[in-house]
Amino acid sequence: QVQLVESGGGLVQAGGSLRLSCAASGRTFSTYAVAWFRQASGKEREFVAAISMGGGSTYYADSVKGRFTISRDNAKKTVYLQMNSLKPEDTAVYYCAVRRLSVDLVRANYEYWGQGTEVTVSS
C-alpha cells in the first residue's frame, strides 16, 4: 500500500513557475515508477510526466516538454514537478500516481493515486 500526498499548487500568473511535490508513504517507494497527470474542468485526466524507479528516465507530454521537469528523491520518498513558463491552459488539478517497476503513460495502469493539488494560471 502506498499513500500519496500532493502539495505546491496555487494561483500563478502566466509565465510564472510552481513546484509541485508528491510525498509518499511506504518502505518500497524506490520500486515504483511515478507519474503526474492533470485534469482540467470538463476534460479527461491526461498524462503530464513520468519518471522511472531510479530517476534515470523521464517522459513528458508534448504540451509540457521543455517547460516542466520531473525529478525524484527516493531518500525523501518525494517526487517533484517543476513547472516553468506556465500557461492558462496548464490550469488543472494535478495528481501524482505510482505503479510498480516500469513507467507507463496510460492512466489506467497506475495503482495508487493522490488526492490532487489545484493549479490555476491566470492570463
Side-chain angles (χ1 to χ4, degrees), residues 34-68:
V34 183
W36 286 94
F37 291 80
R38 67 186 181 186
Q39 188 167 17
S41 180
K43 296 187 177 181
E44 291 195 357
R45 197 169 297 188
E46 64 177 4
F47 169 78
V48 175
I51 190 165
S52 59
M53 289 187 294
S57 298
T58 56
Y59 307 82
Y60 297 94
D62 287 342
S63 59
V64 307
K65 204 170 291 184
R67 300 187 298 122
F68 290 11

Side-chain angles (χ1 to χ4, degrees), residues 56-103:
S57 298
T58 56
Y59 307 82
Y60 297 94
D62 287 342
S63 59
V64 307
K65 204 170 291 184
R67 300 187 298 122
F68 290 11
T69 302
I70 188 170
S71 61
R72 68 188 294 164
D73 184 335
N74 283 341
K76 295 182 178 180
K77 300 179 184 178
T78 302
V79 171
Y80 305 97
L81 185 68
Q82 178 66 44
M83 306 187 297
N84 299 329
S85 302
L86 282 161
K87 304 175 181 179
E89 50 263 44
D90 295 318
T91 295
V93 178
Y94 284 71
Y95 299 89
C96 66
V98 301
R99 70 185 303 272
R100 291 188 185 276
L101 302 178
S102 61
V103 170

